[in-house]
Amino acid sequence: GELNGLEATKAIREEEDRRARDRDREGNRNGKEFSRSVVVAMTGRSLEADEKEAMEAGCSVFMTKPLNLDKVRELAESALHSEIISIQ
């Protein structure tokens, strides 16, 4: 079936948690680090309840429209672990 954004985020986090448990059970023999996906909640509403619900679902960041390019740059740099020279 079709999922809304919060349901999809919960499903992503559940799968990541399952993989982390499997990795821990196997003793992380492959030596790979486990990292979580960056999930951005984006909405036209800026209600505290919306932000709380998004964060409880597992979102990494809550952003409201219209977008703030400085915040988008900061998020992208954090996710990519490198500096972005220009966003136009």
Side-chain angles (χ1 to χ4, degrees):
E2 212 172 288
L3 302 176
N4 70 31
L6 296 180
E7 292 167 340
T9 299
K10 288 177 186 176
I12 289 167
R13 295 301 184 217
E14 287 170 6
E15 177 63 16
E16 288 174 336
D17 290 345
R18 185 194 62 76
R19 288 182 183 188
R21 283 190 305 275
D22 290 350
R23 182 213 57 211
D24 290 344
R25 193 172 22 258
E26 294 169 4
N28 194 18
R29 285 182 229 129
N30 61 12
K32 290 183 180 177
E33 290 295 319
F34 177 78
S35 62
R36 290 173 69 94
S37 302
V38 176
V39 178
V40 179
M42 190 177 307
T43 181
R45 302 180 338 173
S46 61
L47 301 175
E48 271 187 48
D50 292 334
E51 182 172 4
K52 183 177 184 218
E53 185 179 20
M55 300 313 279
E56 287 175 353
C59 292
S60 311
V61 178
F62 183 83
M63 298 180 80
T64 58
K65 299 173 191 172
L67 294 178
N68 174 314
L69 282 182
D70 289 333
K71 181 141 180 148
V72 172
R73 178 193 308 262
E74 180 182 312
L75 170 64
E77 287 175 348
S78 175
L80 299 171
H81 305 292
S82 62
E83 185 177 346
I84 295 176
I85 304 301
S86 176
I87 293 180
Q88 296 182 11

